[in-house]
Amino acid sequence: MARNLSIKVQVTGPTSSAVLTLPRHDHITRQIKASRRYYEIDLLNAIRDLDLHGVYLDVGGHCGNHSVYFLKECPSTGVIAVEPSDDSYARLKESVGANLNGKTAVCIHAAVHDVWESCSVIEVDKGNTGMNRVEAGGTTKVITLDEIADTTDDPIAFIKLDVENCEPAVLRSGLKLLERVRPPI
């Protein structure tokens, strides 16, 4: 990731501030810079108000906006964030690493799907990297929700999905988890 393609933006949440590493010329970055608040703050506050204790799973973590909010503002015990795009994954790791808030976080460079073994990340809109999508084949690793759930001893308390029309495949990849825990999605 070229350093000049990313910027750091400070955001303010309900109880604390954070610094996010974001793509310089991007729709989400413009929204965050203009408000100095997390992207989709009303949705995030509603998730916080659920008062769920355990691990928050962020599938399609992009640059870490939601993951950092889950770490700093929610009663999570930790976060597992999954992102297939190389550039977004690098920003995700940087954003999460700078905002651990005494909690644990794992960033996974992969996509989530029920049948694919690998995928390619397709850039749909250079001005909105959150719209990247994946398709079968390629060099990016693919894992399942059930495999992710097996990496933690803490219960999965919440699952956030932003996977550009792959939601059914992602959910099918976690049937054991969903039957066992039934977390809000």
Side-chain angles (χ1 to χ4, degrees), residues 6-7 29 31 35-37 58 60 67 89 105 107 122 130 135 148-149 152-153 157 164 172 178 183:
S6 296
I7 62 171
T29 303
Q31 297 290 320
S35 68
R36 295 295 177 183
R37 298 172 73 190
D58 185 357
S67 293
Y89 175 74
C107 296
I122 308 302
E135 59 184 40
I148 295 167
T152 180
D153 292 330
E164 304 309 317
R172 284 191 305 267
L178 298 175

Side-chain angles (χ1 to χ4, degrees), residues 4 8 11-12 19 42 53 64-65 95 101 114 136 173 175 180:
N4 64 348
K8 294 187 183 301
V11 293
T12 302
V19 175
D42 292 337
H53 298 265
N65 177 81
S95 292
N101 203 36
D114 65 330
S173 82
L175 292 177
R180 184 177 72 248

Side-chain angles (χ1 to χ4, degrees), residues 22-39:
L22 302 169
R24 184 173 296 279
H25 303 290
D26 193 85
H27 164 74
I28 292 172
T29 303
R30 285 191 298 278
Q31 297 290 320
I32 292 171
K33 281 176 63 177
S35 68
R36 295 295 177 183
R37 298 172 73 190
Y38 290 93
Y39 184 69

Side-chain angles (χ1 to χ4, degrees), residues 60-143:
H62 191 239
C63 297
N65 177 81
H66 289 58
S67 293
V68 170
Y69 184 94
F70 297 154
L71 286 166
K72 304 232 4 147
E73 302 293 343
C74 294
S76 66
T77 56
V79 167
I80 300 172
V82 185
E83 174 57 45
S85 163
D86 294 342
D87 287 342
S88 293
Y89 175 74
R91 292 181 184 110
L92 169 70
K93 277 185 60 173
E94 196 167 323
S95 292
V96 167
N99 295 285
L100 288 174
N101 203 36
K103 297 179 182 180
T104 58
V106 175
C107 296
I108 301 172
H109 188 198
V112 178
H113 201 276
D114 65 330
V115 295
W116 296 347
E117 293 183 14
S118 65
C119 71
S120 296
V121 177
I122 308 302
E123 184 177 72
V124 175
D125 180 351
K126 287 183 190 250
N128 189 351
T129 58
M131 295 293 296
N132 288 350
R133 61 181 179 81
V134 294
E135 59 184 40
T139 59
T140 301
K141 177 181 171 181
V142 174
I143 59 176

